[in-house]
Amino acid sequence: MLNALECGIRRHHLKARCLSLDAYYSDRDIRLLKLLIQYLQADSGKESSTFIAGLEKFHFCWEHMLGKVLKCTVNLNSKLPAPAYIDIDGRVLTANKKGMRTDIILHDEHKNKYTIADAKYYAASNVGNAPGWGDIVKQLFYEKALKTLDADASIKNVFVFPGIDGNLKEARVRSRQKSTDESHIFINDFEPIYCYYTDPMLVIKNYLKGDKMTELTNELLRSV
């Protein structure tokens, strides 16, 4: 039996979903909203009810779940450098809200090692469906920024993809001027970004149980 508060919440969500129909135009969105309305009208609150929902952008969910199941996570976003503008009068205008936002940072305090992990819900089976130049540059810049906080720390950059067996080992910055088809010259000023794959069902199971993935954490922190 639903109490008055739960009934009020249901009525609020039902009204919001009905109003949303006028704002959505694709058949898929309208069909999804109608199913949500049907659920709120008839099934919500019943112990035997079944509700299935899909996410259009699972990347955010993947990032969130990995951040919860990994150990040794730290939030350093508020400490990372941020942009500032100087106006024509010479005044410095800070723009902290436009600062860097890392996905996940792991820190081994005993060895003073950091791993900057970018959770990517990509197949990453070849260069066509792997992270692009913008993703690579962002990670390299995160590493450079983290060095300003702790110059003596060891820093490792990684992409974490869903999958059991992965095809990609690492991402490197290659010199197109000096490289040939037979000889590849990598620019050592840019550290590699290592690629890791983990079973998404295992991540989901650990997330739902509130457990930590110690083995994956150790693997991401391990020196290469």
Side-chain angles (χ1 to χ4, degrees):
M1 182 67 66
L2 297 175
N3 59 36
L5 176 60
E6 290 172 328
C7 289
I9 293 174
R10 280 185 55 193
R11 286 195 295 270
H12 170 76
H13 286 304
L14 178 58
K15 182 179 180 181
R17 298 291 81 77
C18 290
L19 291 174
S20 295
L21 280 176
D22 295 331
Y24 284 75
Y25 298 98
S26 74
D27 292 338
R28 177 188 176 279
D29 290 332
I30 291 176
R31 186 164 58 252
L32 176 59
L33 284 168
K34 286 182 177 179
L35 288 172
L36 287 171
I37 291 171
Q38 179 183 348
Y39 167 73
L40 290 168
Q41 286 177 327
D43 297 330
S44 179
K46 296 180 181 178
E47 292 184 1
S48 60
S49 65
T50 300
F51 178 55
I52 300 175
L55 293 175
E56 186 174 348
K57 296 182 179 179
F58 192 75
H59 167 76
F60 301 108
C61 190
W62 178 245
E63 175 188 329
H64 172 76
M65 289 191 298
L66 278 175
K68 293 297 184 182
V69 300
L70 290 172
K71 301 173 67 176
C72 306
T73 59
V74 292
N75 189 345
L76 300 178
N77 287 338
S78 62
K79 297 181 179 180
L80 293 175
Y85 291 87
I86 301 174
D87 66 14
I88 57 176
D89 295 321
R91 292 175 299 186
V92 177
L93 310 176
T94 59
N96 291 335
K97 291 184 178 180
K98 299 181 182 294
M100 288 175 271
R101 296 287 184 270
T102 59
D103 281 5
I104 302 166
I105 296 180
L106 309 180
H107 184 211
D108 184 338
E109 295 183 8
H110 301 293
K111 298 180 180 179
N112 197 23
K113 295 170 58 177
Y114 291 90
T115 294
I116 307 171
D118 190 7
K120 290 296 185 189
Y121 199 71
Y122 296 173
S125 58
N126 55 64
V127 295
N129 53 29
W133 178 244
D135 296 310
I136 293 172
V137 170
K138 182 180 65 174
Q139 288 302 111
L140 294 174
F141 210 85
Y142 285 159
E143 179 182 347
K144 190 176 183 67
L146 191 54
K147 273 289 187 182
T148 66
L149 302 184
D150 192 343
D152 297 325
S154 172
I155 301 175
K156 178 182 177 182
N157 240 324
V158 305
F159 289 129
V160 184
F161 305 112
I164 299 175
D165 296 315
N167 185 48
L168 302 180
K169 177 184 176 183
E170 60 189 65
R172 301 289 300 265
V173 178
R174 173 179 173 271
S175 171
R176 291 200 287 184
Q177 182 181 13
K178 298 179 181 179
S179 297
T180 65
D181 292 339
E182 294 76 25
S183 176
H184 301 283
I185 306 299
F186 300 109
I187 302 176
N188 293 327
D189 290 340
F190 303 104
E191 295 293 330
I193 302 174
Y194 299 97
C195 300
Y196 290 87
Y197 298 77
T198 187
D199 186 349
M201 294 308 300
L202 191 59
V203 172
I204 292 173
K205 288 179 181 178
N206 280 276
Y207 174 76
L208 292 176
K209 293 189 296 182
D211 293 340
K212 298 293 185 180
M213 299 181 67
T214 302
E215 185 176 347
L216 178 59
T217 300
N218 293 338
E219 187 177 1
L220 295 179
L221 282 169
R222 189 176 298 123
S223 300
V224 179

